[in-house]
Amino acid sequence: MRTDLYTGHDYFNMDDLLSEEHKLIRDAARAWVKQEVSPIIEDAAENQVFPQHLLPGLGAIGAFGPYIPEEYGGAGLDQISYGLIMQELERCDSGLRSTASVQSSLVMYPIWKYGSEEQKMKYLPKLATGEWIGCFGLTEPDHGSNPGGMVTNFVEDGDHVILNGAKMWISNAPFAEIAVVWAKDESGRIHGLIVERGMEGFTTPTMKGKWSLRASDTGELIFDNVRVPKANILPLKSGLGAPLGCLDSARYGIAWGAIGAALDCYDTALRYSKERIQFGKPIAAFQLQQKKLAEMITEITKAQLLTHRLGTLRNEGRATSAQISMAKRNNVDMAITIAREARQMLGAMGIMNEYPIMRHMMNLESVITYEGTHDIHLLITGMDITGENAFK
Ligand code: TGC
Ligand code: FAD
């Protein structure tokens, strides 16, 4: 791995829109990533393992539940701060950001928003420090884009429920202490349950063989007559809207994160193009390469503006789910296009792990699929502007 020389790119002076606190938070996350993660990330991806020793550090930079109130162990920050942290993590690796966004938006968020006071006090402080890690079980082998069709279910048994079913493609599952699991009750209504490692009949087999997001652990959640105390059911919200509300928060973080991946690819290609000499001059001097770089920074800048505005709307409680879908879809597509162009700019060197581009490109193939596919987000926008539902 080369020394991480990344410095950031701000073509439209976006920093003017940030407070001093925002810049401090972003710069601290960037410095931590450069020191602790950049030197080991290629090996982690190569070996297909999430470096778990990073968890306390992620907690210390505020990456776990940045916007959760301090009384529950969170950092009490605003939505722009959350976005900036996700951007810095994904600038290094989408899997690193995945670990943080699952913990924050898919585990801590539902406990904070839909949980009882006892559940909040029991779980949130340990999740904020990284002492405990959680995962989020919505997707099933036969229900991905259509989570409302899920078959995982529970039946009442005194002060417990008996949970049966299976979830697939679950980030952090192999090592998580708890899982926020979405399952149907006897009437078919969806509820969130906190399932703890060690409950009899609960297993989390690892899924191997991914060519994408290799530095993030993915697994299944299997429930074979698991007895879960009723006290572990999230009491304050049920129905499909409950897990979808968590996805809004995670998709917002991904919109910021994708900008980070795009910035790293652009930064790498720009630096390489100034150093690589062909036909007696740097390849940066050729118009074809300038076109690629100019288009990259244009698209990154447009995404930065869109996403900062979305952050402001979220701070004001005014961002709609459809606006979040548009930003997630646009920014991930922008990042994957830039990764492909940047890879070509490095020629043969672009396929090597000495540079991060190929890893970003492969990671983004997951990011464009999870948290709602590229198609699903287009249909959400389509439904929002036409009033017509094209899903079913
Ligand atoms: P539909 O009938 O439209 O809606 C059901 C109920 O939900 C409400 N709702 C929302 N509520 C909050 N936030 C949202 N974004 C919402 N979208 C819809 C809706 O109002 C309704 O409420 P109510 O009270 O009327 O019942 O549901 P549908 O079955 O037609 O499905 C709609 C669709 C396709 C958009 C949705 O299911 C969807 O988003 N599918 C994509 C699935 C997905 O994104 N899965 C992600 C799994 S988690 C993951 O990928 C983690 S990766 C993590 C990482 O490593 O970073
Ligand atoms: P499908 O839903 O089978 O879709 C297949 C294709 O059909 C896609 O191109 C899709 O766009 C298209 N399609 C589907 N429906 C329609 C339609 N109505 N109209 C037009 N086209 C349609 N899930 C979790 O719950 N928790 C996690 O932590 C998690 N982590 C993940 C980590 C990784 C690395 C990956 C790859 C996935 C993860 N997921 C997780 C699952 C992810 O959310 C799903 O893969 C995603 O929602 C898509 O579901 P699917 O793969 O079953 O695809």
Side-chain angles (χ1 to χ4, degrees):
M1 171 85 191
R2 286 189 155 197
T3 308
D4 185 347
L5 299 171
Y6 177 77
T7 50
H9 299 275
D10 183 17
Y11 203 72
F12 259 56
N13 302 342
M14 296 293 295
D15 269 16
D16 293 353
L17 301 177
L18 301 179
S19 66
E20 286 310 310
E21 185 184 42
H22 288 145
K23 287 185 248 182
L24 278 172
I25 288 161
R26 178 198 57 197
D27 294 347
R30 186 175 297 172
W32 178 81
V33 161
K34 280 189 171 201
Q35 186 172 324
E36 302 295 332
V37 198
S38 298
I40 61 164
I41 192 64
E42 295 296 346
D43 278 351
E46 184 90 29
N47 297 326
Q48 215 176 149
V49 62
F50 175 74
Q52 289 182 38
H53 72 273
L54 297 175
L55 294 171
L58 280 163
I61 61 163
F64 294 151
Y67 51 77
I68 302 285
E70 286 169 300
E71 61 189 293
Y72 298 121
L77 300 171
D78 73 349
Q79 290 290 317
I80 305 263
S81 306
Y82 168 47
L84 288 166
I85 295 170
M86 296 303 113
Q87 175 185 283
E88 293 306 315
L89 297 183
E90 194 148 4
R91 202 279 301 171
C92 179
D93 190 83
S94 301
L96 184 67
R97 194 268 310 136
S98 249
T99 298
S101 50
V102 168
Q103 180 89 337
S104 299
S105 290
L106 300 181
V107 178
M108 296 177 75
Y109 179 92
I111 295 173
W112 174 44
K113 286 288 181 187
Y114 316 145
S116 65
E117 202 54 35
E118 294 73 32
Q119 290 167 342
K120 290 186 217 184
M121 294 313 293
K122 176 174 177 187
Y123 297 107
L124 291 179
K126 286 196 165 75
L127 291 164
T129 58
E131 186 182 339
W132 283 354
I133 289 296
C135 64
F136 176 87
L138 180 65
T139 306
E140 299 186 351
D142 294 330
H143 301 93
S145 298
N146 175 27
M150 71 175 67
V151 293
T152 298
N153 67 89
F154 61 89
V155 293
E156 303 233 358
D157 184 27
D159 55 1
H160 284 67
V161 295
I162 310 290
L163 179 66
N164 277 290
K167 301 287 177 179
M168 195 176 179
W169 297 112
I170 308 305
S171 301
N172 301 349
F175 62 93
E177 275 85 8
I178 63 166
V180 172
V181 176
W182 300 94
K184 285 180 174 167
D185 67 15
E186 287 161 82
S187 74
R189 187 146 183 95
I190 294 170
H191 297 264
L193 295 82
I194 304 169
V195 181
E196 299 180 11
R197 186 171 292 286
M199 287 181 174
E200 205 176 329
F202 174 43
T203 48
T204 61
T206 303
M207 295 174 67
K208 288 284 182 192
K210 291 178 295 163
W211 284 114
S212 172
L213 229 69
R214 289 170 63 88
S216 161
D217 285 346
T218 312
E220 295 172 66
L221 304 175
I222 313 278
F223 313 104
D224 181 8
N225 286 316
V226 183
R227 271 172 65 78
V228 182
K230 279 186 179 162
N232 283 28
I233 298 177
L234 300 175
L236 299 184
K237 187 155 176 151
S238 61
L240 185 57
L244 292 180
C246 309
L247 295 183
D248 273 0
S249 179
R251 291 166 176 173
Y252 166 75
I254 290 175
W256 280 92
I259 296 174
L263 280 166
D264 202 40
C265 293
Y266 168 74
D267 183 72
T268 305
L270 180 63
R271 189 171 297 109
Y272 187 87
S273 71
K274 292 178 182 174
E275 292 167 358
R276 176 69 175 165
I277 309 293
Q278 288 294 287
F279 300 96
K281 55 183 183 179
I283 62 169
F286 296 118
Q287 289 181 2
L288 279 175
Q289 306 311 317
Q290 288 187 4
K291 177 174 186 290
K292 288 188 171 76
L293 291 166
E295 287 176 351
M296 285 181 202
I297 194 63
T298 305
E299 291 307 315
I300 288 170
T301 303
K302 284 154 65 179
Q304 286 172 324
L305 286 159
L306 175 79
T307 312
H308 188 281
R309 175 66 187 148
L310 183 64
T312 304
L313 289 172
R314 270 185 77 78
N315 276 342
E316 296 168 357
R318 292 197 294 140
T320 66
S321 299
Q323 287 169 338
I324 295 167
S325 280
M326 181 185 282
K328 190 267 184 186
R329 181 173 186 274
N330 178 77
N331 292 8
V332 178
D333 191 51
M334 172 277 297
I336 208 165
T337 304
I338 286 176
R340 288 170 183 152
E341 290 287 302
R343 214 287 309 145
Q344 290 191 54
M345 285 191 65
L346 268 68
M349 287 309 290
I351 70 161
M352 298 303 290
N353 67 4
E354 190 180 344
Y355 295 93
I357 298 175
M358 192 86 180
R359 179 169 45 79
H360 281 306
M361 195 163 92
M362 294 193 299
N363 283 343
L364 289 163
E365 293 291 346
S366 285
V367 183
I368 204 165
T369 292
Y370 67 33
E371 300 273 6
T373 67
H374 195 60
D375 297 330
I376 290 296
H377 288 297
L378 178 131
L379 295 177
I380 290 172
T381 305
M383 184 163 71
D384 196 47
I385 58 178
T386 66
E388 299 286 348
N389 183 337
F391 288 111
K392 30 195 180 187

